[in-house]
Amino acid sequence: MASRKTYALSSGALLLFLILGNALTGITPIGIHEDCKDGIDNSFAPLPGDGDIDADDQKCFEYPYEDGNGEGFTNPDYRYKGSSYVSLAEYHIEYSSIPLDTICNALAFATYVEPSDIDKAQAYADENGGCVGGGP
């Protein structure tokens, strides 16, 4: 009988440790919407769409996250309601056909809301010839 109590106690302690460990490691950031990374034009009617894909599509350029509408418009009132998001600058670099132009446009129009995204974007622009006119 004592061994069952010991087993139950140690199992309970292990379960509690796992739950606390998951809680303390942080929240998984909200990722990129499938429409904004699949390499095809997912714009709605009139089909076949606007011809822009992924980060080159204005709606994905502005808000490409899973909690948005992908290549469909996401109302600004519903943006950034989560607690953590993957890097928008990294998304622009990876999924744009001309990353430097995309980064420069995002910097010029203050698209980045996270200071780390601004830093990443500025570093990318500096490493790749800079923005026309010196950038923002």
Side-chain angles (χ1 to χ4, degrees):
M1 192 70 151
S3 64
R4 285 187 180 177
K5 285 183 180 180
T6 303
Y7 177 74
L9 184 60
S10 62
S11 296
L14 178 61
L15 182 61
L16 181 63
F17 174 76
L18 290 173
I19 291 170
L20 286 175
N22 283 336
L24 296 175
T25 57
I27 297 169
T28 301
I30 294 173
I32 302 300
H33 193 286
E34 187 62 32
D35 284 0
C36 295
K37 63 180 182 178
D38 62 5
I40 60 174
D41 183 5
N42 297 299
S43 297
F44 301 106
L47 290 176
D50 58 14
D52 295 327
I53 60 168
D54 300 342
D56 297 329
D57 185 284
Q58 185 66 30
K59 287 136 187 121
C60 287
F61 169 81
E62 293 172 354
Y63 195 79
Y65 298 109
E66 289 173 324
D67 63 347
N69 295 323
E71 287 189 22
F73 178 73
T74 302
N75 186 315
D77 292 340
Y78 298 109
R79 297 178 185 179
Y80 296 105
K81 297 298 182 183
S83 56
S84 178
Y85 291 84
V86 296
S87 170
L88 184 57
E90 289 176 11
Y91 167 75
H92 286 156
I93 292 166
E94 184 173 347
Y95 289 99
S96 175
S97 62
I98 308 174
L100 182 59
D101 286 352
T102 302
I103 290 290
C104 290
N105 284 333
L107 287 168
F109 291 103
T111 303
Y112 301 121
V113 296
E114 293 294 325
S116 61
D117 276 338
I118 297 168
D119 293 342
K120 287 176 190 175
Q122 192 62 59
Y124 181 86
D126 292 345
E127 292 167 5
N128 290 281
C131 297
V132 175

